[in-house]
Amino acid sequence: MPHDPNELFDHAVLDMIEQSAAGSVPMTPAYQDALKRLYRTHQVYASADNRDGHVTARSLAGRPSFSAANLEAVADGSAPAEAMEPNDAIFERYLRSLPAVLRPGAEAHRLRVVGRPVHHRPKHTGAERLPAAHDLVHTIFLVPGCGPHPGLPGNYLYGSVVETGAEGGADPWAVHVHDRDDGAAVAGAASLAAAAASLQELLGCAPFAMDELGALGFRIV
């Protein structure tokens, strides 16, 4: 098998990115060509924490992912949906994992990630009291990686497992993944158990670039 003449240099560039506080490399053609190769092979992503900086996939490999601690129990029916770990609590665990200097920037994304709670009130029609509407399940997760745009502070993508309420053959569940801009990927699922299994497979592949998710049944939207 022929030896790749760029291999040693590309590894040196990976080391340089990890040793640089800003994740930067020189702007000379040789280094920029190495970056292109490393991006193409998903070994390097755009840094979410340093403008024009980079982050290596191997440096993200040890970072934790965050999802509802009891999602599996809810998915298999041994716990009710109402018992799902709250989205704010999941986001708090992500927040606490970050260096203190990154937390204010991450906090600014809380509403985008967690969403607004939906409150249903019983309706009254004269003496008749109608039951409260069913709250569709929506549980979030955060996972190391990058999309077409950088992720959230710490180089995290975020997403959710959602009950869509779809009828007539459409998937009633979906798993969504987002970067911090308009990059998004989605996969449908026939049940909460299937959506939870899709999420576990996704988390097991982290870190990843969003354009790799086609192999897991996701489509870029």
Side-chain angles (χ1 to χ4, degrees), residues 2-207:
H3 175 69
D4 181 355
N6 298 310
E7 183 177 359
L8 290 178
F9 187 69
D10 289 358
H11 277 286
V13 173
L14 289 173
D15 291 339
M16 181 178 292
I17 291 170
E18 291 174 357
Q19 293 165 10
S20 167
S24 60
V25 300
M27 294 298 295
T28 59
Y31 283 98
Q32 295 306 304
D33 287 346
L35 275 179
K36 291 176 184 176
R37 292 190 296 270
L38 293 168
Y39 270 88
R40 190 164 54 245
T41 55
H42 302 111
Q43 296 182 71
V44 167
Y45 311 136
S47 173
D49 303 324
N50 296 288
R51 185 174 180 178
D52 300 325
H54 316 279
V55 62
T56 68
R58 70 189 187 187
S59 71
L60 299 182
R63 297 193 183 179
S65 297
F66 303 93
S67 60
N70 59 345
L71 176 58
E72 185 176 344
V74 174
D76 68 18
S78 58
E82 295 77 14
M84 188 90 74
E85 182 182 10
N87 289 338
D88 264 315
I90 300 169
F91 191 85
E92 281 294 332
R93 290 196 280 117
Y94 153 68
L95 205 63
R96 290 196 301 271
S97 77
L98 298 175
V101 69
L102 297 181
R103 291 175 189 169
E107 180 63 46
H109 294 280
R110 181 187 291 268
L111 183 59
R112 177 204 296 252
V113 177
V114 172
R116 297 182 183 277
V118 178
H119 300 288
H120 292 292
R121 296 181 179 179
K123 297 181 180 179
H124 298 266
T125 305
E128 181 184 5
R129 178 180 173 131
L130 299 178
H134 168 63
D135 286 344
L136 298 178
V137 174
H138 171 264
T139 183
I140 66 167
F141 60 89
L142 297 106
V143 58
C146 187
H149 313 283
L152 302 183
N155 296 287
Y156 276 82
L157 299 171
Y158 72 96
S160 56
V161 173
V162 295
E163 185 179 7
T164 67
E167 298 178 353
D171 288 319
W173 293 86
V175 182
H176 295 265
V177 185
H178 301 272
D179 59 27
R180 73 178 179 205
D181 203 334
D182 60 359
V186 63
S191 65
L192 175 55
S198 179
L199 174 58
Q200 290 306 313
E201 184 177 28
L202 184 77
L203 300 183
C205 292

